[in-house]
Amino acid sequence: MLTVMQRVTDLHRIAFVGDYLPRKCGIATFTSDLRNAVAALGRRFECPVVAVNDRVEGYAYPPEVRFEMPEADLPLYQLAADFLNLTNVDVVCVQHEFGIFGGPAGSHLLALLRRLRTPIVTTLHTVLREPNADQGRVMQDLIRLSTRLVVMATKGESFLRDVYNAPPGKIDLIPHGIPDTSFVDPNYFKDEFDVAGRQVLLTFGLLSPNKGIEFALQALPAIVREFPNVVYVVLGQTHPNLLREQGETYRLSLERLAKDLGVQKHVVFFNRFVELEELKSFIGAADLYVTPYLNEAQITSGTLAYAFGAGKAVVSTPYWHATELLAEDRGVLVPFRDAAAIAQAVVQLLRDEPRRHAMRKNAYRLSREMVWSSVAAQYMKSFEQARLDHSFLGRRSSPIRTLDQQPDLLPELKLDHLSRLTDSTGLFQHAIFTAPHFAEGYCVDDNARALALMLRLSQLGHTFPPRRALISTYAAFVHHAFDRTRRRFRNFLGFDRRWREDVGSEDCHGRCLWALGMGVEQTDLPGIQMLSSYLFEQALPSAAAFTSPRAWALTLLGLDHYLHGLPGDRLVNQMREHLVTRMLQRYGDCAKPDWPWFEEVVSYANTKLPHALIVSGQAMNHAEALNLGLKTLRWLVTIQGSDKGYFRPIGSNGFYPYGGERAAFDQQPIEARAMVSACLVAYRATGDTAWLQDARRAFEWFLGRNELGLTLYDTTTGGCRDGLHVDRVNQNQGAESTLAFLLALADLQAVQSELSSFKAGGDTEAASTPVTAESAFKS
């Protein structure tokens, strides 16, 4: 038994996965501090780091960072796991926060974890009481996949048990680490900042609206009346994500508020990210620490832990971590969004020095177990227990898989050519080879598709630099195309910026509604979301009179996205019921025993019709619509398959009329893209992995598995050629074809991420369904 224990606890290489300094965020600071504290325990540990990047250029990391992965690059998560396996780490310690990993709710992380052969100890920086569907699914998989789970507050521990049914025996409660500081009088540090003789209030951390700084500012006039020498220090730069989206708007609003309140002489903003030693001096100079967060759903606060650990008297709103840490007179809690209560608490503490000093001593004494050396030792116990648990559980090592059992790697998603086709007005619709064809101008069809692509990539966690600028450009074009008098979209705009028509087609109108519905549902840009909602409301009524089944289908797809964002909209629900009824009637009027279709001809973008019925039938619990969508999609798959097993779309030179000949050419990229998308929603609706095989087969049409054996996707430009002629590929790389490829690729990336997540949930038992689904990507 002694030999077994020695083997289990003999840890030499402990790897850390998460954000890492010099990236400026709380998780990066925590990961760096924890890693360095563990490495300093003196046992000759090697502590390599796998760092997550939120920007293309990465960061100037220190030498311990051995592997970097862009947050949205799913294949690199898998390669990171291979790297950790090959370097024989004993334990992997993961820092988890939903927002720092790619994929829906950070699901890309699961692709890494399921490939690891080592014990996994996961620190949960956020534990949600009311997760959405994606967050709940990811958390359940994360719990199953982790050998041990670390939370920093008892509330997190109770949520894991009660909300997620996590096994209590695998949960470790370890407090947030803090630097080891001496218990000193604040006056010792005040000279450094030229505030000697003044009462100092401090708030620090990355600045963002959820911190509630405005309520602390609103409390200042009442505090100043009692203590004219008080100064409120707000330390920290604006959160990088907020800075990218809104610039310094929030900080400037706080500065204006201070001036409007007449307290500008009592407020100091330090707009920078300070290093630890300087931070300790700022905290040391504070008489009171103020943390006026706006809601309770904060399970961990590193800034609160730092101030508490330095023996500061704290005035805080009652978010979860503060409620626990400041109990038993270790701080003062005030209601959310209550400036008067903040002022009263601050004044009382500044008046009552004995109480303030007793509060400081209580906090400092309790916090000694929170210093990093103590926290590192507690983590070591968790690592050792994870190694022991792992050895007895016999975690299954990654099996060797033959080629047919492995998912195909997807091509790299490149936006170079799309950006090349875009100017300040919008996206040019055609290209001469790879150059924009100015003479052909623009169309709202392609700009709506491009807007949909950008929103889809945002949902998947892509953070490439031009994303926000492109979203704004394409949304502005769609807005410009809308004629408010006719309540219809125009389609074609010349290079001279003059519209070539007064009213666009019904199909282009439906396509705009599809993109705008995605804007309402998905965008993280409030301005784009509001614009999408406004245009959607203005443009939707016209769809009631449309006669084109494709326009109905595209509108239904937009309605589905819109209702995911705003499910209670009664008029939009009524429109969905109306259009589904019309599609069913149309099928009843046109279909024949040997022709299960909505029209007398199978023409272009055909799978949009069954696609719309599948998603609408699911959402409405409408079995007839769902079943008809699946039936007609299966028919399209059948008639568009070749004897050799590849996808063979209906040609545009004549299409496929009932009773007539099926056109073999020209084959268009939009058909392959539409087939990929429809088959993936059919898979989600049914769980039948045959649909995944069909989706992959259609996608491979772009990659050369087609009638001519020629590749349409250009890996050098990121563009897609315009189609297959009878004897050659059309070498022009226009917007429609390029967007068709990129949209299909984005859809496959999303389902691959889902499959990685589902498969992660089956590590302790045979996960036959997810494995089968994954292998279904092989045609």
Side-chain angles (χ1 to χ4, degrees), residues 409-414 453 456-457 460 462 673 676 680 696 699 702 713 739-752:
L409 288 177
L410 295 172
E412 178 186 3
L413 192 147
K414 296 176 65 173
L453 171 67
R456 182 64 165 142
L457 295 180
L460 293 174
H462 287 272
R673 178 271 183 280
V676 169
L680 292 179
R696 182 72 205 198
F699 183 73
F702 291 105
Y713 173 54
L739 287 164
F741 174 80
L742 293 173
L743 283 162
L745 178 57
D747 284 343
L748 283 174
Q749 285 185 341
V751 79
Q752 190 176 82

PDB file of all heavy atoms in Angstrom, residues 409-414 453 456-457 460 462 673 676 680 696 699 702 713 739-752:
ATOM      1  N   LEU A 409     -10.486  16.664 -40.310  1.00  0.00           N
ATOM      2  CA  LEU A 409     -10.182  18.041 -39.979  1.00  0.00           C
ATOM      3  C   LEU A 409     -10.830  18.943 -41.021  1.00  0.00           C
ATOM      4  O   LEU A 409     -10.829  18.650 -42.219  1.00  0.00           O
ATOM      5  CB  LEU A 409      -8.673  18.266 -39.953  1.00  0.00           C
ATOM      6  CG  LEU A 409      -7.918  17.652 -38.779  1.00  0.00           C
ATOM      7  CD1 LEU A 409      -6.423  17.907 -38.940  1.00  0.00           C
ATOM      8  CD2 LEU A 409      -8.414  18.226 -37.462  1.00  0.00           C
ATOM      9  N   LEU A 410     -11.372  20.039 -40.570  1.00  0.00           N
ATOM     10  CA  LEU A 410     -12.006  20.992 -41.471  1.00  0.00           C
ATOM     11  C   LEU A 410     -10.974  21.995 -41.958  1.00  0.00           C
ATOM     12  O   LEU A 410      -9.988  22.272 -41.268  1.00  0.00           O
ATOM     13  CB  LEU A 410     -13.137  21.719 -40.747  1.00  0.00           C
ATOM     14  CG  LEU A 410     -14.310  20.837 -40.318  1.00  0.00           C
ATOM     15  CD1 LEU A 410     -15.272  21.628 -39.433  1.00  0.00           C
ATOM     16  CD2 LEU A 410     -15.046  20.283 -41.534  1.00  0.00           C
ATOM     17  N   PRO A 411     -11.175  22.570 -43.143  1.00  0.00           N
ATOM     18  CA  PRO A 411     -10.231  23.589 -43.624  1.00  0.00           C
ATOM     19  C   PRO A 411     -10.207  24.795 -42.696  1.00  0.00           C
ATOM     20  O   PRO A 411     -11.151  25.035 -41.936  1.00  0.00           O
ATOM     21  CB  PRO A 411     -10.789  23.963 -45.005  1.00  0.00           C
ATOM     22  CG  PRO A 411     -11.693  22.843 -45.384  1.00  0.00           C
ATOM     23  CD  PRO A 411     -12.235  22.283 -44.115  1.00  0.00           C
ATOM     24  N   GLU A 412      -9.129  25.535 -42.793  1.00  0.00           N
ATOM     25  CA  GLU A 412      -9.024  26.781 -42.020  1.00  0.00           C
ATOM     26  C   GLU A 412     -10.029  27.788 -42.553  1.00  0.00           C
ATOM     27  O   GLU A 412     -10.217  27.941 -43.760  1.00  0.00           O
ATOM     28  CB  GLU A 412      -7.614  27.350 -42.140  1.00  0.00           C
ATOM     29  CG  GLU A 412      -7.417  28.667 -41.415  1.00  0.00           C
ATOM     30  CD  GLU A 412      -6.057  29.277 -41.681  1.00  0.00           C
ATOM     31  OE1 GLU A 412      -5.300  28.680 -42.486  1.00  0.00           O
ATOM     32  OE2 GLU A 412      -5.757  30.332 -41.100  1.00  0.00           O
ATOM     33  N   LEU A 413     -10.698  28.486 -41.641  1.00  0.00           N
ATOM     34  CA  LEU A 413     -11.639  29.519 -42.045  1.00  0.00           C
ATOM     35  C   LEU A 413     -10.873  30.819 -42.256  1.00  0.00           C
ATOM     36  O   LEU A 413     -10.282  31.359 -41.324  1.00  0.00           O
ATOM     37  CB  LEU A 413     -12.720  29.689 -40.978  1.00  0.00           C
ATOM     38  CG  LEU A 413     -13.933  30.531 -41.395  1.00  0.00           C
ATOM     39  CD1 LEU A 413     -15.191  30.018 -40.717  1.00  0.00           C
ATOM     40  CD2 LEU A 413     -13.728  32.003 -41.087  1.00  0.00           C
ATOM     41  N   LYS A 414     -10.847  31.292 -43.491  1.00  0.00           N
ATOM     42  CA  LYS A 414     -10.112  32.497 -43.836  1.00  0.00           C
ATOM     43  C   LYS A 414     -11.074  33.531 -44.408  1.00  0.00           C
ATOM     44  O   LYS A 414     -11.893  33.214 -45.275  1.00  0.00           O
ATOM     45  CB  LYS A 414      -9.020  32.197 -44.877  1.00  0.00           C
ATOM     46  CG  LYS A 414      -7.934  31.255 -44.383  1.00  0.00           C
ATOM     47  CD  LYS A 414      -6.941  30.932 -45.500  1.00  0.00           C
ATOM     48  CE  LYS A 414      -6.184  32.161 -45.933  1.00  0.00           C
ATOM     49  NZ  LYS A 414      -5.104  31.818 -46.901  1.00  0.00           N
ATOM     50  N   LEU A 453     -23.228  35.405 -41.851  1.00  0.00           N
ATOM     51  CA  LEU A 453     -21.972  34.700 -41.582  1.00  0.00           C
ATOM     52  C   LEU A 453     -21.251  35.317 -40.391  1.00  0.00           C
ATOM     53  O   LEU A 453     -20.793  34.599 -39.481  1.00  0.00           O
ATOM     54  CB  LEU A 453     -21.069  34.751 -42.815  1.00  0.00           C
ATOM     55  CG  LEU A 453     -19.636  34.245 -42.596  1.00  0.00           C
ATOM     56  CD1 LEU A 453     -19.625  32.748 -42.318  1.00  0.00           C
ATOM     57  CD2 LEU A 453     -18.746  34.590 -43.783  1.00  0.00           C
ATOM     58  N   ARG A 456     -22.924  34.434 -37.209  1.00  0.00           N
ATOM     59  CA  ARG A 456     -22.711  33.017 -36.894  1.00  0.00           C
ATOM     60  C   ARG A 456     -21.317  32.816 -36.291  1.00  0.00           C
ATOM     61  O   ARG A 456     -21.153  32.084 -35.300  1.00  0.00           O
ATOM     62  CB  ARG A 456     -22.851  32.189 -38.165  1.00  0.00           C
ATOM     63  CG  ARG A 456     -22.713  30.684 -37.979  1.00  0.00           C
ATOM     64  CD  ARG A 456     -23.816  30.159 -37.117  1.00  0.00           C
ATOM     65  NE  ARG A 456     -23.935  28.712 -37.189  1.00  0.00           N
ATOM     66  CZ  ARG A 456     -24.231  27.968 -36.142  1.00  0.00           C
ATOM     67  NH1 ARG A 456     -24.447  28.516 -34.959  1.00  0.00           N
ATOM     68  NH2 ARG A 456     -24.348  26.655 -36.274  1.00  0.00           N
ATOM     69  N   LEU A 457     -20.324  33.456 -36.865  1.00  0.00           N
ATOM     70  CA  LEU A 457     -18.971  33.317 -36.347  1.00  0.00           C
ATOM     71  C   LEU A 457     -18.850  33.936 -34.960  1.00  0.00           C
ATOM     72  O   LEU A 457     -18.112  33.430 -34.109  1.00  0.00           O
ATOM     73  CB  LEU A 457     -17.973  33.964 -37.305  1.00  0.00           C
ATOM     74  CG  LEU A 457     -17.861  33.304 -38.687  1.00  0.00           C
ATOM     75  CD1 LEU A 457     -16.841  34.038 -39.546  1.00  0.00           C
ATOM     76  CD2 LEU A 457     -17.501  31.835 -38.576  1.00  0.00           C
ATOM     77  N   LEU A 460     -19.999  31.465 -32.522  1.00  0.00           N
ATOM     78  CA  LEU A 460     -19.031  30.384 -32.335  1.00  0.00           C
ATOM     79  C   LEU A 460     -17.779  30.827 -31.598  1.00  0.00           C
ATOM     80  O   LEU A 460     -16.894  30.017 -31.344  1.00  0.00           O
ATOM     81  CB  LEU A 460     -18.635  29.804 -33.704  1.00  0.00           C
ATOM     82  CG  LEU A 460     -19.743  29.058 -34.451  1.00  0.00           C
ATOM     83  CD1 LEU A 460     -19.275  28.668 -35.850  1.00  0.00           C
ATOM     84  CD2 LEU A 460     -20.175  27.822 -33.672  1.00  0.00           C
ATOM     85  N   HIS A 462     -15.546  33.299 -32.562  1.00  0.00           N
ATOM     86  CA  HIS A 462     -14.440  33.844 -33.357  1.00  0.00           C
ATOM     87  C   HIS A 462     -14.207  35.304 -32.986  1.00  0.00           C
ATOM     88  O   HIS A 462     -15.152  36.073 -32.822  1.00  0.00           O
ATOM     89  CB  HIS A 462     -14.746  33.744 -34.852  1.00  0.00           C
ATOM     90  CG  HIS A 462     -14.659  32.348 -35.385  1.00  0.00           C
ATOM     91  ND1 HIS A 462     -13.487  31.806 -35.862  1.00  0.00           N
ATOM     92  CD2 HIS A 462     -15.590  31.373 -35.504  1.00  0.00           C
ATOM     93  CE1 HIS A 462     -13.707  30.560 -36.263  1.00  0.00           C
ATOM     94  NE2 HIS A 462     -14.967  30.270 -36.050  1.00  0.00           N
ATOM     95  N   ARG A 673     -23.991  24.388 -50.010  1.00  0.00           N
ATOM     96  CA  ARG A 673     -24.129  25.041 -48.708  1.00  0.00           C
ATOM     97  C   ARG A 673     -25.512  24.798 -48.116  1.00  0.00           C
ATOM     98  O   ARG A 673     -25.660  24.498 -46.918  1.00  0.00           O
ATOM     99  CB  ARG A 673     -23.887  26.543 -48.855  1.00  0.00           C
ATOM    100  CG  ARG A 673     -24.054  27.355 -47.568  1.00  0.00           C
ATOM    101  CD  ARG A 673     -25.506  27.819 -47.383  1.00  0.00           C
ATOM    102  NE  ARG A 673     -25.716  28.645 -46.235  1.00  0.00           N
ATOM    103  CZ  ARG A 673     -25.847  28.258 -44.989  1.00  0.00           C
ATOM    104  NH1 ARG A 673     -25.716  26.982 -44.689  1.00  0.00           N
ATOM    105  NH2 ARG A 673     -26.103  29.096 -44.016  1.00  0.00           N
ATOM    106  N   VAL A 676     -25.772  21.237 -46.759  1.00  0.00           N
ATOM    107  CA  VAL A 676     -25.051  21.076 -45.493  1.00  0.00           C
ATOM    108  C   VAL A 676     -25.900  21.580 -44.337  1.00  0.00           C
ATOM    109  O   VAL A 676     -26.114  20.887 -43.327  1.00  0.00           O
ATOM    110  CB  VAL A 676     -23.705  21.836 -45.534  1.00  0.00           C
ATOM    111  CG1 VAL A 676     -23.092  21.904 -44.131  1.00  0.00           C
ATOM    112  CG2 VAL A 676     -22.744  21.167 -46.497  1.00  0.00           C
ATOM    113  N   LEU A 680     -27.740  19.253 -41.308  1.00  0.00           N
ATOM    114  CA  LEU A 680     -27.334  19.404 -39.917  1.00  0.00           C
ATOM    115  C   LEU A 680     -28.523  19.673 -39.002  1.00  0.00           C
ATOM    116  O   LEU A 680     -28.572  19.167 -37.875  1.00  0.00           O
ATOM    117  CB  LEU A 680     -26.284  20.512 -39.791  1.00  0.00           C
ATOM    118  CG  LEU A 680     -24.929  20.207 -40.433  1.00  0.00           C
ATOM    119  CD1 LEU A 680     -23.970  21.384 -40.259  1.00  0.00           C
ATOM    120  CD2 LEU A 680     -24.319  18.934 -39.869  1.00  0.00           C
ATOM    121  N   ARG A 696     -21.643  16.020 -44.609  1.00  0.00           N
ATOM    122  CA  ARG A 696     -20.223  15.966 -44.939  1.00  0.00           C
ATOM    123  C   ARG A 696     -20.023  15.708 -46.437  1.00  0.00           C
ATOM    124  O   ARG A 696     -19.129  16.289 -47.071  1.00  0.00           O
ATOM    125  CB  ARG A 696     -19.542  14.857 -44.119  1.00  0.00           C
ATOM    126  CG  ARG A 696     -18.051  14.748 -44.347  1.00  0.00           C
ATOM    127  CD  ARG A 696     -17.302  15.904 -43.720  1.00  0.00           C
ATOM    128  NE  ARG A 696     -16.029  16.160 -44.373  1.00  0.00           N
ATOM    129  CZ  ARG A 696     -15.044  16.859 -43.827  1.00  0.00           C
ATOM    130  NH1 ARG A 696     -15.176  17.375 -42.638  1.00  0.00           N
ATOM    131  NH2 ARG A 696     -13.925  17.054 -44.481  1.00  0.00           N
ATOM    132  N   PHE A 699     -20.510  18.921 -48.247  1.00  0.00           N
ATOM    133  CA  PHE A 699     -19.391  19.838 -48.026  1.00  0.00           C
ATOM    134  C   PHE A 699     -18.179  19.440 -48.860  1.00  0.00           C
ATOM    135  O   PHE A 699     -17.448  20.296 -49.371  1.00  0.00           O
ATOM    136  CB  PHE A 699     -19.030  19.873 -46.536  1.00  0.00           C
ATOM    137  CG  PHE A 699     -17.939  20.853 -46.215  1.00  0.00           C
ATOM    138  CD1 PHE A 699     -18.182  22.217 -46.230  1.00  0.00           C
ATOM    139  CD2 PHE A 699     -16.661  20.412 -45.894  1.00  0.00           C
ATOM    140  CE1 PHE A 699     -17.174  23.126 -45.935  1.00  0.00           C
ATOM    141  CE2 PHE A 699     -15.652  21.308 -45.599  1.00  0.00           C
ATOM    142  CZ  PHE A 699     -15.912  22.675 -45.616  1.00  0.00           C
ATOM    143  N   PHE A 702     -17.194  20.956 -52.282  1.00  0.00           N
ATOM    144  CA  PHE A 702     -16.298  22.107 -52.386  1.00  0.00           C
ATOM    145  C   PHE A 702     -14.840  21.672 -52.506  1.00  0.00           C
ATOM    146  O   PHE A 702     -14.023  22.382 -53.096  1.00  0.00           O
ATOM    147  CB  PHE A 702     -16.417  22.996 -51.139  1.00  0.00           C
ATOM    148  CG  PHE A 702     -17.717  23.724 -50.983  1.00  0.00           C
ATOM    149  CD1 PHE A 702     -18.652  23.305 -50.053  1.00  0.00           C
ATOM    150  CD2 PHE A 702     -17.993  24.848 -51.739  1.00  0.00           C
ATOM    151  CE1 PHE A 702     -19.845  23.992 -49.874  1.00  0.00           C
ATOM    152  CE2 PHE A 702     -19.180  25.547 -51.580  1.00  0.00           C
ATOM    153  CZ  PHE A 702     -20.115  25.109 -50.643  1.00  0.00           C
ATOM    154  N   TYR A 713     -12.830  25.349 -53.488  1.00  0.00           N
ATOM    155  CA  TYR A 713     -12.296  26.217 -52.438  1.00  0.00           C
ATOM    156  C   TYR A 713     -10.837  26.522 -52.717  1.00  0.00           C
ATOM    157  O   TYR A 713     -10.037  25.618 -52.984  1.00  0.00           O
ATOM    158  CB  TYR A 713     -12.442  25.549 -51.075  1.00  0.00           C
ATOM    159  CG  TYR A 713     -11.771  26.300 -49.945  1.00  0.00           C
ATOM    160  CD1 TYR A 713     -12.059  27.644 -49.715  1.00  0.00           C
ATOM    161  CD2 TYR A 713     -10.858  25.669 -49.107  1.00  0.00           C
ATOM    162  CE1 TYR A 713     -11.445  28.340 -48.682  1.00  0.00           C
ATOM    163  CE2 TYR A 713     -10.245  26.353 -48.064  1.00  0.00           C
ATOM    164  CZ  TYR A 713     -10.545  27.684 -47.855  1.00  0.00           C
ATOM    165  OH  TYR A 713      -9.933  28.371 -46.830  1.00  0.00           O
ATOM    166  N   LEU A 739     -19.322  33.027 -49.856  1.00  0.00           N
ATOM    167  CA  LEU A 739     -20.169  32.971 -48.656  1.00  0.00           C
ATOM    168  C   LEU A 739     -20.787  31.588 -48.480  1.00  0.00           C
ATOM    169  O   LEU A 739     -20.962  31.127 -47.344  1.00  0.00           O
ATOM    170  CB  LEU A 739     -21.255  34.037 -48.738  1.00  0.00           C
ATOM    171  CG  LEU A 739     -20.768  35.470 -48.529  1.00  0.00           C
ATOM    172  CD1 LEU A 739     -21.812  36.474 -49.001  1.00  0.00           C
ATOM    173  CD2 LEU A 739     -20.427  35.713 -47.056  1.00  0.00           C
ATOM    174  N   ALA A 740     -21.120  30.935 -49.589  1.00  0.00           N
ATOM    175  CA  ALA A 740     -21.671  29.582 -49.491  1.00  0.00           C
ATOM    176  C   ALA A 740     -20.681  28.656 -48.793  1.00  0.00           C
ATOM    177  O   ALA A 740     -21.048  27.890 -47.889  1.00  0.00           O
ATOM    178  CB  ALA A 740     -22.012  29.052 -50.882  1.00  0.00           C
ATOM    179  N   PHE A 741     -19.419  28.722 -49.208  1.00  0.00           N
ATOM    180  CA  PHE A 741     -18.410  27.878 -48.573  1.00  0.00           C
ATOM    181  C   PHE A 741     -18.218  28.246 -47.102  1.00  0.00           C
ATOM    182  O   PHE A 741     -18.181  27.370 -46.223  1.00  0.00           O
ATOM    183  CB  PHE A 741     -17.075  27.986 -49.304  1.00  0.00           C
ATOM    184  CG  PHE A 741     -15.964  27.256 -48.600  1.00  0.00           C
ATOM    185  CD1 PHE A 741     -15.826  25.882 -48.735  1.00  0.00           C
ATOM    186  CD2 PHE A 741     -15.081  27.926 -47.759  1.00  0.00           C
ATOM    187  CE1 PHE A 741     -14.830  25.190 -48.062  1.00  0.00           C
ATOM    188  CE2 PHE A 741     -14.080  27.246 -47.082  1.00  0.00           C
ATOM    189  CZ  PHE A 741     -13.960  25.869 -47.237  1.00  0.00           C
ATOM    190  N   LEU A 742     -18.084  29.524 -46.812  1.00  0.00           N
ATOM    191  CA  LEU A 742     -17.804  29.954 -45.437  1.00  0.00           C
ATOM    192  C   LEU A 742     -18.967  29.634 -44.503  1.00  0.00           C
ATOM    193  O   LEU A 742     -18.759  29.229 -43.348  1.00  0.00           O
ATOM    194  CB  LEU A 742     -17.490  31.451 -45.416  1.00  0.00           C
ATOM    195  CG  LEU A 742     -16.185  31.872 -46.116  1.00  0.00           C
ATOM    196  CD1 LEU A 742     -16.071  33.385 -46.174  1.00  0.00           C
ATOM    197  CD2 LEU A 742     -14.967  31.273 -45.405  1.00  0.00           C
ATOM    198  N   LEU A 743     -20.193  29.794 -44.976  1.00  0.00           N
ATOM    199  CA  LEU A 743     -21.355  29.461 -44.143  1.00  0.00           C
ATOM    200  C   LEU A 743     -21.420  27.960 -43.882  1.00  0.00           C
ATOM    201  O   LEU A 743     -21.726  27.530 -42.759  1.00  0.00           O
ATOM    202  CB  LEU A 743     -22.639  29.950 -44.818  1.00  0.00           C
ATOM    203  CG  LEU A 743     -22.904  31.456 -44.706  1.00  0.00           C
ATOM    204  CD1 LEU A 743     -23.924  31.898 -45.755  1.00  0.00           C
ATOM    205  CD2 LEU A 743     -23.397  31.824 -43.303  1.00  0.00           C
ATOM    206  N   ALA A 744     -21.139  27.155 -44.904  1.00  0.00           N
ATOM    207  CA  ALA A 744     -21.132  25.703 -44.712  1.00  0.00           C
ATOM    208  C   ALA A 744     -20.046  25.293 -43.727  1.00  0.00           C
ATOM    209  O   ALA A 744     -20.264  24.446 -42.854  1.00  0.00           O
ATOM    210  CB  ALA A 744     -20.933  24.999 -46.058  1.00  0.00           C
ATOM    211  N   LEU A 745     -18.867  25.903 -43.849  1.00  0.00           N
ATOM    212  CA  LEU A 745     -17.763  25.591 -42.941  1.00  0.00           C
ATOM    213  C   LEU A 745     -18.117  25.985 -41.510  1.00  0.00           C
ATOM    214  O   LEU A 745     -17.858  25.228 -40.562  1.00  0.00           O
ATOM    215  CB  LEU A 745     -16.500  26.311 -43.402  1.00  0.00           C
ATOM    216  CG  LEU A 745     -15.252  26.137 -42.530  1.00  0.00           C
ATOM    217  CD1 LEU A 745     -14.888  24.665 -42.374  1.00  0.00           C
ATOM    218  CD2 LEU A 745     -14.080  26.919 -43.131  1.00  0.00           C
ATOM    219  N   ALA A 746     -18.728  27.152 -41.331  1.00  0.00           N
ATOM    220  CA  ALA A 746     -19.115  27.589 -39.986  1.00  0.00           C
ATOM    221  C   ALA A 746     -20.132  26.632 -39.374  1.00  0.00           C
ATOM    222  O   ALA A 746     -20.073  26.308 -38.178  1.00  0.00           O
ATOM    223  CB  ALA A 746     -19.682  29.011 -40.036  1.00  0.00           C
ATOM    224  N   ASP A 747     -21.093  26.164 -40.178  1.00  0.00           N
ATOM    225  CA  ASP A 747     -22.083  25.209 -39.674  1.00  0.00           C
ATOM    226  C   ASP A 747     -21.423  23.907 -39.232  1.00  0.00           C
ATOM    227  O   ASP A 747     -21.775  23.330 -38.195  1.00  0.00           O
ATOM    228  CB  ASP A 747     -23.127  24.921 -40.746  1.00  0.00           C
ATOM    229  CG  ASP A 747     -24.124  26.056 -40.917  1.00  0.00           C
ATOM    230  OD1 ASP A 747     -24.202  26.905 -40.012  1.00  0.00           O
ATOM    231  OD2 ASP A 747     -24.815  26.091 -41.953  1.00  0.00           O
ATOM    232  N   LEU A 748     -20.456  23.434 -40.015  1.00  0.00           N
ATOM    233  CA  LEU A 748     -19.775  22.196 -39.642  1.00  0.00           C
ATOM    234  C   LEU A 748     -18.890  22.392 -38.416  1.00  0.00           C
ATOM    235  O   LEU A 748     -18.758  21.487 -37.586  1.00  0.00           O
ATOM    236  CB  LEU A 748     -18.945  21.686 -40.819  1.00  0.00           C
ATOM    237  CG  LEU A 748     -19.749  20.995 -41.924  1.00  0.00           C
ATOM    238  CD1 LEU A 748     -18.856  20.660 -43.103  1.00  0.00           C
ATOM    239  CD2 LEU A 748     -20.407  19.722 -41.402  1.00  0.00           C
ATOM    240  N   GLN A 749     -18.265  23.546 -38.290  1.00  0.00           N
ATOM    241  CA  GLN A 749     -17.490  23.829 -37.087  1.00  0.00           C
ATOM    242  C   GLN A 749     -18.384  23.776 -35.854  1.00  0.00           C
ATOM    243  O   GLN A 749     -17.997  23.256 -34.805  1.00  0.00           O
ATOM    244  CB  GLN A 749     -16.816  25.194 -37.186  1.00  0.00           C
ATOM    245  CG  GLN A 749     -15.611  25.233 -38.107  1.00  0.00           C
ATOM    246  CD  GLN A 749     -14.928  26.588 -38.069  1.00  0.00           C
ATOM    247  OE1 GLN A 749     -15.506  27.586 -37.647  1.00  0.00           O
ATOM    248  NE2 GLN A 749     -13.687  26.641 -38.519  1.00  0.00           N
ATOM    249  N   ALA A 750     -19.593  24.304 -35.974  1.00  0.00           N
ATOM    250  CA  ALA A 750     -20.509  24.315 -34.834  1.00  0.00           C
ATOM    251  C   ALA A 750     -20.893  22.902 -34.428  1.00  0.00           C
ATOM    252  O   ALA A 750     -20.870  22.555 -33.239  1.00  0.00           O
ATOM    253  CB  ALA A 750     -21.764  25.121 -35.181  1.00  0.00           C
ATOM    254  N   VAL A 751     -21.228  22.058 -35.399  1.00  0.00           N
ATOM    255  CA  VAL A 751     -21.648  20.704 -35.034  1.00  0.00           C
ATOM    256  C   VAL A 751     -20.450  19.883 -34.557  1.00  0.00           C
ATOM    257  O   VAL A 751     -20.595  19.025 -33.673  1.00  0.00           O
ATOM    258  CB  VAL A 751     -22.379  20.008 -36.200  1.00  0.00           C
ATOM    259  CG1 VAL A 751     -21.435  19.471 -37.245  1.00  0.00           C
ATOM    260  CG2 VAL A 751     -23.278  18.898 -35.693  1.00  0.00           C
ATOM    261  N   GLN A 752     -19.258  20.137 -35.092  1.00  0.00           N
ATOM    262  CA  GLN A 752     -18.073  19.428 -34.607  1.00  0.00           C
ATOM    263  C   GLN A 752     -17.810  19.784 -33.145  1.00  0.00           C
ATOM    264  O   GLN A 752     -17.447  18.919 -32.343  1.00  0.00           O
ATOM    265  CB  GLN A 752     -16.861  19.772 -35.475  1.00  0.00           C
ATOM    266  CG  GLN A 752     -15.657  18.897 -35.181  1.00  0.00           C
ATOM    267  CD  GLN A 752     -14.499  19.186 -36.119  1.00  0.00           C
ATOM    268  OE1 GLN A 752     -13.748  20.130 -35.896  1.00  0.00           O
ATOM    269  NE2 GLN A 752     -14.355  18.401 -37.163  1.00  0.00           N
TER     270      GLN A 752
END
